Amino acid sequence: MSKFSPDSLAARLIAALPPSRVSRLRLDRGAAVFRQGDPASAVYVVEAGRVQLKRISADGAPLTLHVADAGESFAEASLSATHYHCDAIAETASVVLVLPKADLLTLMTTDPARGMAFTLAFASQVRDLRAKLELRNVRSAKERVLAWLRLRADGDPPSVLLNRSWTLIAEELGLTREAVYRALAMLERERRIGRRDGVISLQRPGRRSQHVSLRMR
Amino acid sequence: MSKFSPDSLAARLIAALPPSRVSRLRLDRGAAVFRQGDPASAVYVVEAGRVQLKRISADGAPLTLHVADAGESFAEASLSATHYHCDAIAETASVVLVLPKADLLTLMTTDPARGMAFTLAFASQVRDLRAKLELRNVRSAKERVLAWLRLRADGDPPSVLLNRSWTLIAEELGLTREAVYRALAMLERERRIGRRDGVISLQRPGRRSQHVSLRMR
DNA sequence: CGAAACGTTGACCGTTTTCAATTACAGTGG
DNA sequence: CCACTGTAATTGAAAACGGTCAACGTTTCG
């Protein structure tokens, strides 16, 4: 029933607590969920909108640590910290679920099986983040887009169902949307991908040649 | 006594098991720790060398998911998986610690407190990875280097003690070492940082002006 | 004592970012 | 039902920036 992918960290955190223990926070644009230095009291999940985690660095300049989109959790590390180390500010009007730290902690000691589920959810999150990070090591925009598609492709023929706008995907890729569109256009021209409404299909490298295009002389 | 920073995920995983349960694997360059499809039996920590995690994507092309350096753990998600979803190949001759999955799992159910420690360690890892990812959203090489320094600066005046070569840091930043050296040179020229042997000090933005340099007319 | 890795800087070239402009929709309030 | 507004999708042109190649001094280490 949740609008989150069921095996995401956020979904598992929510599922762990009875709904009665979870409260909802409505935030105007610019409002703070918490501030650097506040006592750490909860873990959060963005239900709608977008929340920025920022901190003032030692030299006085602001530093963005993370931007949590709808469906993502943030401030999980507050479980082990006494105080928040950054500000959490709504980038747009947002709705945030509040998962009290105390409830989560007692749950973990009370119910080891559940605690284990947590650990595993975090481990998956670590795996996913590492893959996203590795993706950024691909320098060429074209190859990076292709790698992103490969990461999510399955089926035969391998294909990806898009659930977000390319504009948003471009952000995840660390490219401008223009660069992404150009990369897609080139990949399509070279017959390395196919596009039909919201589905991208990957071409097996198969036999080489074909995408040689015209060449001089 | 370990050569790992004591609160890293890798260090905590190792500390959780009695040394007798941890074995050491010596790998030549190119040797595999495990292969895609093998039954998932352990979590690993790179003691020396470097291990690549790769998978063959649906369209048949190889895809790097992560590169684990010395001091880092990998394949934590094998805790919840029955089989590995990628190959783990030594990029150089390496030594890898093997932490049996079964031991870790029983430990977690046996000793809830320890299980909680795991979860917290994973949560920290998530926080760190998110910060690294966010760093990559800084487009300009100069600003990215500066942000990296801010992330690690503390003290007054804020400064960073380097423990690795800039060549390695450049990799983490997703830049070539040349780009990093140029960025450092510019930042120093603009008086935004100072360099003395292995220590970088950050200048408080203080009063503006000064770094205006000469301009035409 | 050499080889290999690190540190540094210059020049050039290719790619991406930026800036701009255009089309296509989806939702909205009258 | 229709202008009206905002976002998404595209593509072009120019500028900026980082990658690559090259060259060189320095340090490290077996």
Side-chain angles (χ1 to χ4, degrees), chain B residues 85-107:
Chain B
H85 293 173
C86 59
D87 292 353
I89 310 289
E91 186 180 310
T92 67
S94 304
V95 181
V96 164
L97 298 178
V98 183
L99 314 180
K101 168 181 170 177
D103 289 318
L104 290 170
L105 289 179
T106 53
L107 186 79

Side-chain angles (χ1 to χ4, degrees), chain B residues 168-190:
Chain B
L168 249 22
I169 295 168
E171 270 185 56
E172 175 177 334
L173 285 168
L175 296 169
T176 59
R177 62 174 188 286
E178 292 97 322
V180 172
Y181 288 130
R182 276 190 268 269
L184 288 169
M186 296 183 70
L187 290 169
E188 198 169 16
R189 222 175 296 137
E190 296 171 3

Side-chain angles (χ1 to χ4, degrees), chain A residues 140-141 175-176 178-179 182:
Chain A
S140 148
L175 295 168
T176 58
E178 292 96 324
R182 277 191 262 270

Side-chain angles (χ1 to χ4, degrees), chain B residues 33-44 75 77-86 98 101:
Chain B
V33 181
F34 56 75
R35 294 281 185 180
Q36 196 167 346
D38 288 354
S41 63
V43 173
Y44 306 84
S78 66
L79 287 176
S80 55
T82 58
H83 298 271
Y84 295 113
H85 293 173
C86 59
V98 183
K101 168 181 170 177

Side-chain angles (χ1 to χ4, degrees), chain B residues 56-69:
Chain B
I56 303 301
S57 61
D59 68 333
L63 197 55
T64 300
L65 298 174
H66 182 49
V67 178
D69 273 307

